[in-house]
Amino acid sequence: MKAAMYYGKEDIRVEEVEEPETRPGTVKIAPAFNGICGSDLHLYHDGPIPPAPSADQPHPLSNETLPVVMGHEFSGVVEELGEGVDGLEVGDRVVVEPLMVDGTCPACQAGKYNLCEQMGFIGISGLGGGLSERTVVDRRWVHPVGDLPLDQAALIEPLAVAVHAVKHAGAEEGQTAVVGGAGPIGLLVAAVLKAKGLRVIVSEMSTARREKARDTGVADVVVDPAKEDLAEVVRTDTEGRGAEVAFDAAGVGAVVTQLLDVLGPGGRLEIVAIHTKPYELDITAGLTMQDRVMGASIGYANDHVEAIELARSGAVDLEPFITGRILVDDIVEQGFRQLIDNKEHEVKILVSMR
């Protein structure tokens, strides 16, 4: 079968590999669409970093070294059920929660399996992936999506990240939320916040991304922080109260500082983005004297069902976030290169295996 194999820095090859076999408790899926995300871009641009294995160091749960099949944001159709699998039928449209966990560490035992000490990702750490014509996944990770179109279903994985972040932050209906950064995750966080009845202010320097936040309707107010005083805009919009909650979806220290400034007394800042550089914080001024909370969230745990329901009910419309559809044979030039060279105009490029 055909699969996109990750060999290392700037080395992705579409080639023929052996088709995986169904085992007891597993599901064979024919992937339909696969999204390319920021983690994939880092792997392509910078080379393998954990939880990806290297050429000589396997991942502890998959026991695989490079190359591995890529693709962790994907939808597909059930083709075969392994022995003992119930709750699914051949032909069902599904998405995969692409985790691999040990199930024994304290985090797993507490139900916080997204914090597993050995956590890996299907499509990054091994065990197959969505950028292949067939993949086999443990039943636990397979979620039916009903009549949700398969291209939109490929965005359920990043939508689950947004659902988890909003829940983790304790955001509530009627509050005002500020989202710093209107990339794919920032836009989806804003979409979930709107669906839950919050007033949403999005701050983004890119003109194209501001327009996307405005055009999709996920933001009530859109701000260019390079030309406007974000804190003043928020104070005016909230009649001086400030925002109850803010989300860093940019991963830039300056954005964290801006978001702390927009919070009212007792507000919460939730870090969703991955920061690659240390950030220096004046804890007394930024948190203590305003009785504020600062938290962070990663991935998802038991969030896919809610994400699917938001999409199926129409509370979150995923279609506008799809900015490109390509074939797997064109994944490097029309996928990775496009997202690197033209990232301001792209939200989610989907790769089709059909």
Side-chain angles (χ1 to χ4, degrees), residues 14 21 33 38 47 58 70 77 94 181-182 186-187 236 245 262 264-265 274 281 287 300 320 353:
V14 179
E21 296 183 359
F33 292 96
M70 292 196 78
V77 177
V94 296
L187 289 169
T236 299
V245 63
V262 308
I274 300 296
L281 171 65
L287 299 178
Y300 32 74
M353 293 305 305

Side-chain angles (χ1 to χ4, degrees), residues 134-297:
R134 303 290 187 277
T135 190
V136 172
V137 182
D138 286 346
R139 169 64 182 93
R140 167 184 185 179
W141 305 119
V142 182
H143 300 276
V145 297
D147 58 358
L148 185 68
L150 285 169
D151 55 352
Q152 294 181 38
L155 274 68
I156 290 296
E157 194 269 356
L159 182 61
V161 172
V163 167
H164 184 75
V166 170
K167 287 166 60 177
H168 194 262
E172 297 180 355
E173 181 179 359
Q175 293 180 334
T176 294
V178 180
V179 179
I185 293 299
L187 289 169
L188 290 173
V189 166
V192 173
L193 291 165
K194 282 292 293 180
K196 290 183 175 292
L198 284 84
R199 182 168 178 80
V200 181
I201 300 172
V202 170
S203 175
E204 170 60 60
M205 294 182 66
S206 162
T207 299
R209 289 183 169 183
R210 286 198 307 276
E211 289 176 354
K212 180 63 73 172
R214 185 180 294 110
D215 294 345
T216 56
V218 301
D220 296 289
V221 180
V222 180
V223 178
D224 179 356
K227 297 179 180 179
E228 303 172 80
D229 185 334
L230 176 61
E232 185 57 36
V233 170
V234 175
R235 278 193 293 270
T236 299
D237 192 78
T238 60
E239 299 180 339
R241 297 186 306 276
E244 285 87 0
V245 63
F247 295 82
D248 164 35
V252 179
V255 173
V256 175
T257 299
Q258 290 176 340
L259 293 177
L260 284 170
D261 288 342
V262 308
L263 291 175
R268 179 184 178 105
L269 173 60
E270 187 79 7
I271 308 296
V272 189
I274 300 296
H275 283 250
T276 59
K277 297 180 180 179
Y279 171 70
E280 185 172 320
L281 171 65
D282 184 341
I283 293 176
T284 299
L287 299 178
T288 307
M289 298 308 294
Q290 294 293 321
D291 209 11
R292 290 176 179 145
V293 177
M294 187 173 184
S297 60

Side-chain angles (χ1 to χ4, degrees), residues 23 59 83 88 93 149 155 186 193 244 294 334:
R23 307 175 305 279
H59 188 276
E83 180 184 346
L88 291 172
R93 298 180 178 191
L155 274 68
L193 291 165
E244 285 87 0
M294 187 173 184
Q334 295 183 28

